[in-house]
Amino acid sequence: MKSEIKIIAHIRTDFPTKFGIPRQSSLADELTGEIIFEPEYRQPEAFRGIEEFSHLWLLWEFSEAKREHWSATVKPPRLGGKVRMGVFATRSPFRPNPIGLSCVRLVELRFDETYGPVLVVAGVDLMDKTPIYDVKPYLPYVDAHPEAIGGFGDRVKAHELEVLFLDELRERLPEEKLAGAIAFLKQDPRPAVHKDPARVYKIAYAGYDIHFTVEAERLTVVDVVKL
């Protein structure tokens, strides 16, 4: 009998849309989320021992990246969005099965009166309400490979933008959300093919729209608007 994969939880994050989310987990440890489990999976004993681990693997669904047909090649953002690579050589969301994999830091396990056990995690790269298929502990003795080769990812220089964020605009964000905003802005959230320094981009984050421009290696926040 064919088994059915089940959604066990959904994650709550500050990103209501895909735009602005870091392209990999752990790039912005300041970004946190809460994993809310479905009623069937809220038994406290299912979480026994999880607090002994510092990091977790999340298996989840690219719920906003579904296509009727899959493509054998994709254009990775790290290659400028112009070079095609094999889909199985990338982490593109457009895959035969829209399954994502993230390694996140476990901040705490807390017990909520309404939702039962809730996992608070950091370094998230998931949109708000993303379906979660599974949670597994990260095991350094088998999961960490310092000698590993990162393919074309190692050949592309990772860089962070300088973020110019005036105090008067910073003050419009809740203090506890400011570090997360700066962290994802440094990652250059623009689509890889966009290079127009006059273009104003808008990212929805934590109930606000952050407006910004990018010229050379500097990102300038030009407005923060409460939604």
Side-chain angles (χ1 to χ4, degrees):
M1 182 177 178
K2 186 178 180 180
S3 59
E4 177 185 356
I5 188 168
K6 297 182 178 180
I7 294 172
I8 65 168
H10 290 79
I11 191 168
R12 290 178 174 173
T13 74
D14 288 317
F15 292 98
T17 67
K18 294 183 294 181
F19 186 42
I21 300 175
R23 295 187 176 100
Q24 300 292 339
S25 57
S26 300
L27 286 177
D29 190 68
E30 297 86 348
L31 296 176
T32 61
E34 295 186 341
I35 300 175
I36 309 296
F37 288 81
E38 295 298 300
E40 181 180 355
Y41 307 104
R42 292 177 183 173
Q43 300 94 323
E45 57 267 30
F47 301 84
R48 185 182 302 151
I50 199 169
E51 291 174 291
E52 296 181 23
F53 298 93
S54 65
H55 291 73
L56 303 171
W57 288 111
L58 305 181
L59 288 169
W60 48 276
E61 179 185 0
F62 285 107
S63 53
E64 298 299 312
K66 294 180 180 179
R67 290 182 176 177
E68 187 173 344
H69 303 288
W70 72 283
S71 173
T73 60
V74 294
K75 297 178 181 179
R78 292 204 67 178
L79 295 179
K82 298 178 180 179
V83 180
R84 285 197 171 272
M85 303 295 288
V87 66
F88 299 128
T90 76
R91 296 190 178 185
S92 168
F94 303 109
R95 325 183 63 78
N97 292 304
I99 297 175
L101 176 69
S102 295
C103 182
V104 296
R105 179 171 61 85
L106 177 59
V107 177
E108 67 170 325
L109 166 66
R110 65 177 179 82
F111 289 88
D112 185 270
E113 291 185 4
T114 302
Y115 300 112
V118 173
L119 296 178
V120 181
V121 294
V124 299
D125 60 340
L126 290 84
M127 190 174 70
D128 187 43
K129 300 178 183 178
T130 292
I132 306 292
Y133 288 132
D134 205 0
V135 176
K136 301 176 185 292
Y138 176 92
L139 302 175
Y141 78 98
V142 288
D143 291 341
H145 298 276
E147 77 286 0
I149 298 172
F152 65 81
D154 284 347
R155 300 196 299 270
V156 181
K157 182 180 179 181
H159 74 283
E160 291 186 345
L161 298 177
E162 175 190 359
V163 176
L164 179 60
F165 201 156
L166 296 178
D167 288 344
E168 63 186 72
L169 296 177
R170 288 175 181 239
E171 291 172 359
R172 297 182 188 179
L173 280 177
E175 184 177 356
E176 68 274 14
K177 299 298 181 182
L178 180 59
I182 295 173
F184 74 75
L185 290 171
K186 284 182 179 180
Q187 300 299 320
D188 193 351
R190 297 173 299 166
V193 296
H194 287 198
K195 301 298 180 183
D196 181 3
R199 182 165 182 166
V200 178
Y201 299 87
K202 300 178 183 179
I203 289 180
Y205 168 72
Y208 295 80
D209 257 351
I210 299 178
H211 302 202
F212 66 92
T213 61
V214 180
E215 184 172 6
E217 297 298 304
R218 172 180 286 183
L219 182 151
T220 301
V221 177
V222 297
D223 204 358
V224 177
V225 180
K226 187 173 179 58
L227 296 176

